[in-house]
Amino acid sequence: EPEVTQTPSHQVTQMGQEVILRCVPISNHLYFYWYRQILGQKVEFLVSFYNNEISEKSEIFDDQFSVERPDGSNFTLKIRSTKLEDSAMYFCASSPGSVGNTIYFGEGSWLTVV
Amino acid sequence: QKEVEQDPGPLSVPEGAIVSLNCTYSNSAFQYFMWYRQYSRKGPELLMYTYSSGNKEDGRFTAQVDKSSKYISLFIRDSQPSDSATYLCAMFNDYKLSFGAGTTVTVRA
């Protein structure tokens, strides 16, 4: 069964460093997303991406964050100048269309900022 | 008022019992209503979705949506220890899912 894959599964970084989280969405999907979940809190939307453009972004997704689809298979989330409060599980997701009933999530990348 | 409200539990039931989970929401624009299952430190796994009001059944799982009350439910019949997980309700609008806090369920053997 096709799945969304994410790397790394866990990353520890120093405060102020830049981090890139990588995702390979399901191959025939067209819409891509990043969500995050701070430990013990709810899953929060960060950004949606379609046709090489951001479709929607949340208040969390400020200038510190950026997304890119550098080639036909990868989808990345870059976090610049990381802060302690960026420590969270980051989930990539994808869907074949714009309807929300078929959004599939990866296993997550656990980011720890020290 | 939170956009999606879900009682975090925890909920503990004996094996074979019916598990009843629910969420309320405030945004009338939501059209798609999903239930995800999440194990500790894993990604949400899509269980079921319902479009607009109505019921949907899939094996031991039944999802219900009442848009007039802004209330959705998930029922798990004949619960098994393997159903122990956190269950997240989620609603879709404007290219994004809005999640509830998740209800942690333990099914005791």
Side-chain angles (χ1 to χ4, degrees):
Chain A
E1 186 174 316
E3 58 182 19
V4 177
T5 57
Q6 292 185 239
T7 55
S9 57
H10 187 196
Q11 182 162 352
V12 180
T13 191
Q14 295 276 340
M15 193 167 52
Q17 296 298 304
E18 177 180 284
V19 164
I20 296 177
L21 305 178
R22 292 181 168 79
C23 169
V24 179
I26 295 173
S27 63
N28 62 343
H29 285 191
L30 301 176
Y31 290 79
F32 314 114
Y33 313 85
W34 284 100
Y35 289 76
R36 79 171 185 189
Q37 186 175 30
I38 295 170
L39 189 63
Q41 297 187 23
K42 64 167 62 177
V43 177
E44 300 175 291
F45 169 77
L46 291 178
V47 65
S48 60
F49 191 86
Y50 168 72
N51 200 26
N52 284 319
E53 288 184 347
I54 290 175
S55 311
E56 185 77 22
K57 61 181 182 178
S58 71
E59 293 174 352
I60 303 167
F61 194 88
D62 58 20
D63 292 343
Q64 186 193 2
F65 295 88
S66 62
V67 289
E68 193 178 31
R69 187 153 162 84
D71 54 43
S73 58
N74 291 285
F75 180 51
T76 62
L77 174 69
K78 182 187 291 185
I79 310 173
R80 287 180 283 273
S81 190
T82 50
K83 299 175 280 195
L84 295 176
E85 53 264 39
D86 294 327
S87 296
M89 183 76 94
Y90 289 81
F91 295 111
C92 176
S94 69
S95 62
S98 60
V99 175
N101 59 335
T102 50
I103 297 177
Y104 295 94
F105 285 76
E107 289 293 273
S109 293
W110 182 250
L111 176 65
T112 302
V113 182
V114 297
Chain B
Q1 184 183 13
K2 291 181 182 177
E3 197 169 42
V4 181
E5 303 237 28
Q6 182 177 10
D7 185 343
L11 187 62
S12 179
V13 301
E15 184 175 356
I18 294 174
V19 176
S20 174
L21 305 167
N22 57 75
C23 291
T24 58
Y25 63 95
S26 58
N27 188 348
S28 300
F30 289 138
Q31 292 290 337
Y32 286 91
F33 304 89
M34 274 69 69
W35 286 94
Y36 284 83
R37 178 171 61 196
Q38 186 178 31
Y39 296 108
S40 181
R41 303 231 174 169
K42 297 291 185 182
E45 173 193 358
L46 180 61
L47 279 178
M48 294 184 70
Y49 72 89
T50 308
Y51 174 69
S52 197
S53 284
N55 294 358
K56 187 172 184 177
E57 191 172 313
D58 183 2
R60 296 184 296 112
F61 297 86
T62 300
Q64 292 182 349
V65 173
D66 181 350
K67 290 193 72 178
S68 63
S69 302
K70 296 189 176 68
Y71 187 89
I72 72 169
S73 302
L74 177 71
F75 300 96
I76 308 173
R77 290 183 299 280
D78 188 24
S79 57
Q80 305 295 311
S82 57
D83 294 326
S84 298
T86 297
Y87 291 82
L88 314 175
C89 64
M91 301 167 195
F92 184 81
N93 187 51
D94 286 340
Y95 302 102
K96 63 180 182 286
L97 286 169
S98 298
F99 281 88
T103 301
T104 300
V105 175
T106 301
V107 181
R108 307 185 306 271

